[in-house]
Amino acid sequence: GGYYALRMLSHTLSESPAFNALPAKKKFRLCNVGVQSISRKVELIQSYKGTRCNMWMSEFKYPDLVPEEIIPRYAYTIIRNPREHVLSQYFHCTETHEEPKKREQRLNTMTSLEGWLGHWVMALNDTAKIVENRRFLCYPAINLQSIYVGFVPQNADDMKNIQQKFTVIGPMDQLDKVLCLVFIHHAGWLPDACNCSNNKSSSQLQKQQLGSDHGVTHHGSTYNTTRFQDAMIDKLVEKDQ
């Protein structure tokens, strides 16, 4: 989701007349830092191919328990339906065309969706089993979104705290609107693709084909699960719900 969002925002930026009218020295870009932490304490890439970076996309979790002065000035995140997210993890690990050697190893251990879910359900509140499940070479399926955004629901203030961490928290199923909101806040102008009075409105942002499915054939939003599988997923995403 994050990489796809970065590509969509970058594409929208490069197609914007307001951006292309900027002098070269004032142009900016979005930069991908992979699994590097984003905080003011970490020195991030400052430019790429001669254009300065002023937004960074990371797949690392939000910095927690750190002084306020080193957290990002603005932070945007996209959250996904928890059920779909867990399914997407499984299919990404077993079907992606990336890292073929790892995929072969995963297929030897992740022999079925139900079996994989069952191993993670057994690992709930069991650190030793969580460590044991690293053999899958895949994502940890227990409340992963909560972990990454630093959400630990223990009292009434937790939801308020997470809202203070992020400038925008957007649902994946409304990605076009979320990306428009992020773009406007970040760049400071309304791109044509987000102008509902134009023929090319924000609803068309998601329809741009940028080829970011990593070769996966099954998807969390369309895959039909059994009631038993759904019950296991519900246990794994209790905090993410």
Side-chain angles (χ1 to χ4, degrees):
Y3 180 64
Y4 180 75
L6 177 134
R7 295 192 67 186
M8 292 292 291
L9 287 168
S10 298
H11 179 80
T12 303
L13 184 67
S14 65
E15 294 292 310
S16 171
F19 173 77
N20 289 312
L22 291 172
K25 289 185 178 180
K26 290 190 176 183
K27 287 188 174 180
F28 53 89
R29 65 174 296 138
L30 292 73
C31 294
N32 183 0
V33 296
V35 294
Q36 188 176 8
S37 174
I38 294 181
S39 76
R40 298 186 192 181
K41 186 178 180 180
V42 177
E43 186 173 345
L44 300 171
I45 180 175
Q46 295 300 302
S47 65
Y48 184 74
K49 294 185 177 180
T51 304
R52 67 185 175 93
C53 305
N54 73 343
M55 180 191 282
W56 295 265
M57 191 283 288
S58 173
E59 296 180 54
F60 196 76
K61 67 179 183 178
Y62 186 93
D64 50 10
L65 302 177
V66 296
E68 184 177 347
E69 62 268 20
I70 68 170
I71 66 173
R73 183 179 179 188
Y74 301 114
Y76 313 99
T77 191
I78 297 168
I79 56 176
R80 190 172 184 181
N81 175 290
R83 172 189 170 278
E84 295 178 7
H85 189 234
V86 170
L87 292 172
S88 179
Q89 292 171 41
Y90 178 81
F91 291 125
H92 178 87
C93 289
T94 57
E95 296 181 350
T96 180
H97 55 63
E98 299 172 350
E99 300 181 306
K101 289 185 179 180
K102 270 191 178 182
R103 178 174 175 269
E104 186 176 344
Q105 290 177 275
R106 290 167 182 156
L107 290 174
N108 289 330
T109 55
M110 299 172 66
T111 54
S112 72
L113 171 63
E114 199 160 293
W116 180 73
L117 291 172
H119 279 289
W120 280 110
V121 169
M122 288 189 290
L124 286 166
N125 303 313
D126 189 327
T127 303
K129 287 190 179 297
I130 290 174
V131 173
E132 183 182 323
N133 284 351
R134 289 178 182 171
R135 71 185 190 278
F136 294 127
L137 302 176
C138 189
Y139 305 97
I142 300 173
N143 297 309
L144 188 59
Q145 292 189 99
S146 294
I147 292 171
Y148 266 65
V149 299
F151 178 55
V152 184
Q154 294 177 334
N155 57 60
D157 291 331
D158 288 316
M159 185 57 70
K160 182 179 179 181
N161 291 339
I162 196 173
Q163 289 172 338
Q164 291 175 340
K165 287 181 179 181
F166 294 96
T167 311
V168 174
I169 303 174
M172 183 74 128
D173 56 2
Q174 296 187 46
L175 186 59
D176 53 348
K177 295 178 182 178
V178 174
L179 294 182
C180 283
L181 182 59
V182 170
F183 186 98
I184 293 166
H185 182 269
H186 175 68
W189 68 80
L190 176 69
D192 289 342
C194 297
N195 188 342
C196 295
S197 64
N198 289 343
N199 290 329
K200 187 177 183 180
S201 65
S202 61
S203 63
Q204 295 184 10
L205 275 176
Q206 286 192 59
K207 296 176 183 177
Q208 299 177 39
Q209 300 298 314
L210 296 180
S212 58
D213 63 1
H214 306 286
V216 174
T217 56
H218 294 92
H219 301 279
S221 59
T222 55
Y223 187 78
N224 292 320
T225 48
T226 66
R227 289 184 180 180
F228 182 58
Q229 291 168 345
D230 285 338
M232 287 193 288
I233 293 173
D234 285 342
K235 292 179 181 178
L236 296 174
V237 298
E238 182 180 358
K239 293 178 181 178
D240 285 356
Q241 300 278 21

